[in-house]
Amino acid sequence: MKVSMTVNGARYDHDVEPRTLLVHYLRETVGLTGTNIGCDTSSCGACTVLVGGESVKSCTMLAVQADGADITTIEGLADADGELHPVQEAFREKHGLQCGYCTPGMVMAIVSLLKENPHPTETEVREGIEGNLCRCTGYHNIVAAALYAAESAKAGAA
Amino acid sequence: MIPASFDYRRASNLDEALMMLSDGGDDAKLLAGGHSLLPLMKLRLAAPSTLVDIGRIPDLSYVREEGDALVIGALTRHRDVETNRLVGEHAPLVAHVAGQVGDPQVRHRGTIGGSVAHGDAASDLPAACLAMGATFTAVSPSGTRTIDSSQFFLGFLETALRPDEILTEISVPKATGAGWSFQKFNRRAQDWAIVGVAAVRGDRTGVSLVNMGSVPVRASAVEAALAGGADETEAASHASDGLEPPADLNASSEYRRHLAKVLVRRALEEARAA
């Protein structure tokens, strides 16, 4: 079946098998391998991307369901000139990653969270990333990064 | 993990969806948000020959007041139910429970109709519908009918929906100002409830249980005890009367019976205090 969607601002048209999962489409057909596959069972959140600006687990969505959608992956966050997105910058500043495997999904989940709730409490951040598992950090610095990104955005807006 | 092959049909309106569903034969399945069905298909526990995608039907996502009821379109996503002002005002239990389903990513895609139609004993929203005394509207080529939530869940992942029917609307009697509680016992964030309890105490009293049998169930014995004047602890002691809770990795049947008793008491106390 023919699908067309916008990924990180560029339009893609492909013929896909209906059973193709969005994550496989993004990684193997579009060639954007920043989105990781972790558990493959909608649990770990490593495959989180934005569909229409909202976080979604791309292992639990068919590419055909995303036909016509506007997708953002981790590759689409930084500026064209390489300047990091505030959430990426916050992960660097707060050392919010160790092995890095969960990081693309974590960052996308937090971008979505901050869009819905620009000034979350620490508890709201922890609940907001309940769909993303990290086996290295103990979450502490990830939560710190999300709060730092929210603070920077506030400072930027002021 | 990749699902088995299937024919994909995308419906642009309800009539088209009904036709595609009939054409698809006995094992055609409806696809809405896909957050119950796709995981089963990836595990090859389900392998429908045809998927009819109803996710884009434009007029099945809404929340409206209709007299004493709040009607919610079947395609309304959990996130939209969770944050809807009308649901928060007139059915806060439903809004809260919608916010407890899975995790934010799941709530962005999963729909209330999909959750109800899937009929999983372990999922939260069917229990909330039971406690609220909700009714469900189903449409088929032969017409429209209303099914009471207490008559809807028939067996393991089996509902009163016929193969040619589509669930279109959930009607929830308003419980404005009523006390309510949702007790979800699990060991990890985003997990299914090991046992859950939904309770409403106002003009009508409803108590229901998550994961205490093969279907989402009303705690009828608790409701009857309360109606008969029993106090909360006494009523809660009937939490698992007549039920056969499952045993699995998380809990034995006996442990579930214990949890149900404790959680029903907490729910009744919290719903009273509210």
Side-chain angles (χ1 to χ4, degrees):
Chain A
M1 171 163 176
K2 292 208 184 313
V3 294
S4 71
M5 63 189 89
T6 305
V7 183
N8 302 333
R11 183 180 155 146
Y12 294 88
D13 298 274
H14 289 106
D15 205 356
V16 300
E17 245 195 294
R19 62 176 171 161
T20 308
L21 299 167
L22 179 60
V23 69
H24 292 136
Y25 175 76
L26 291 171
R27 287 177 56 86
E28 290 159 24
T29 307
V30 179
L32 294 171
T33 53
T35 304
N36 286 334
I37 298 174
C39 69
D40 224 348
T41 58
S42 339
S43 303
C44 79
C47 66
T48 301
V49 300
L50 306 184
V51 177
E54 290 181 329
S55 59
V56 166
K57 291 179 174 176
S58 61
C59 79
T60 310
M61 184 169 182
L62 301 170
V64 289
Q65 288 179 288
D67 187 17
D70 190 0
I71 313 281
T72 308
T73 70
I74 190 72
E75 290 94 338
L77 287 186
D79 277 2
D81 57 9
E83 189 178 338
L84 294 180
H85 183 280
V87 174
Q88 292 174 305
E89 185 55 45
F91 267 67
R92 181 163 73 180
E93 178 64 26
K94 292 293 174 184
H95 194 60
L97 64 151
Q98 288 179 33
C99 88
Y101 201 84
C102 74
T103 308
M106 279 288 182
V107 169
M108 301 316 281
I110 290 169
V111 170
S112 181
L113 169 71
L114 294 181
K115 192 175 164 201
E116 288 171 1
N117 181 2
H119 307 299
T121 62
E122 182 186 330
T123 302
E124 286 167 344
V125 170
R126 288 184 182 276
E127 289 176 349
I129 56 171
E130 69 174 323
N132 294 72
L133 300 181
C134 171
R135 303 288 76 163
C136 306
T137 63
Y139 301 97
H140 184 83
N141 285 355
I142 294 173
V143 174
L147 293 169
Y148 180 85
E151 276 301 311
S152 338
K154 213 188 297 181
Chain B
M1 293 185 298
I2 299 169
S5 292
F6 52 84
D7 289 329
Y8 174 83
R9 313 281 308 273
R10 184 183 294 155
S12 49
N13 58 57
L14 190 58
D15 287 340
E16 204 173 87
L18 288 168
M19 204 173 63
M20 290 173 172
L21 191 58
S22 302
D23 289 351
D26 282 351
D27 67 344
K29 290 288 278 181
L30 295 171
L31 176 69
H35 273 54
S36 297
L37 182 57
L38 291 176
L40 290 181
M41 289 173 62
K42 288 171 65 182
L43 292 166
R44 306 280 174 119
L45 295 172
S49 59
T50 301
L51 274 193
V52 177
D53 187 353
I54 57 172
R56 291 164 196 248
I57 298 179
D59 44 4
L60 285 181
S61 175
Y62 55 83
V63 177
R64 289 196 288 263
E65 288 181 272
E66 276 184 14
D68 293 334
L70 213 55
V71 294
I72 305 173
L75 288 180
T76 312
R77 295 181 194 278
H78 301 318
R79 169 76 188 165
D80 297 325
V81 174
E82 177 189 356
T83 56
N84 183 275
R85 185 185 58 79
L86 287 172
V87 182
E89 185 178 346
H90 300 297
L93 170 70
V94 176
H96 173 78
V97 171
Q100 298 295 305
V101 176
D103 52 52
Q105 290 94 319
V106 170
R107 297 195 287 272
H108 285 145
R109 292 290 304 163
T111 66
I112 187 169
S115 178
V116 167
H118 187 56
D120 192 332
S123 64
D124 301 326
L125 277 165
C129 289
L130 283 169
M132 293 292 291
T135 56
F136 306 134
T137 302
V139 176
S140 75
S142 48
T144 300
R145 67 178 178 133
T146 302
I147 309 165
D148 194 275
S149 51
S150 62
Q151 311 288 318
F152 186 78
F153 303 103
L154 301 182
F156 180 69
L157 301 184
E158 185 192 344
T159 70
L161 287 173
R162 294 192 309 256
D164 64 345
E165 278 182 322
I166 298 178
L167 175 68
T168 55
E169 188 174 276
I170 289 88
S171 175
V172 181
K174 285 183 190 170
T176 323
W180 61 274
S181 176
F182 185 64
Q183 303 287 326
K184 181 172 182 173
F185 188 89
N186 57 13
R187 295 195 180 281
R188 296 169 302 190
Q190 79 168 200
D191 261 357
W192 304 92
I194 295 173
V195 173
V197 177
V200 185
R201 302 183 76 181
D203 293 340
R204 67 176 290 285
T205 295
V207 184
S208 62
L209 301 164
V210 180
N211 222 352
M212 278 295 286
S214 58
V215 291
V217 282
R218 290 269 286 271
S220 311
V222 174
E223 293 175 351
L226 286 173
D231 66 25
E232 287 148 355
T233 307
E234 164 64 15
S237 72
H238 296 287
S240 64
D241 285 10
L243 300 177
E244 288 180 25
D248 55 29
L249 283 176
N250 287 313
S252 64
S253 300
E254 213 33 56
Y255 182 46
R256 280 200 163 85
R257 289 183 193 280
H258 170 75
L259 281 177
K261 196 187 298 185
V262 173
L263 297 174
V264 166
R265 178 177 51 73
R266 287 182 192 167
L268 293 177
E269 287 171 358
E270 188 177 65
R272 169 190 20 113

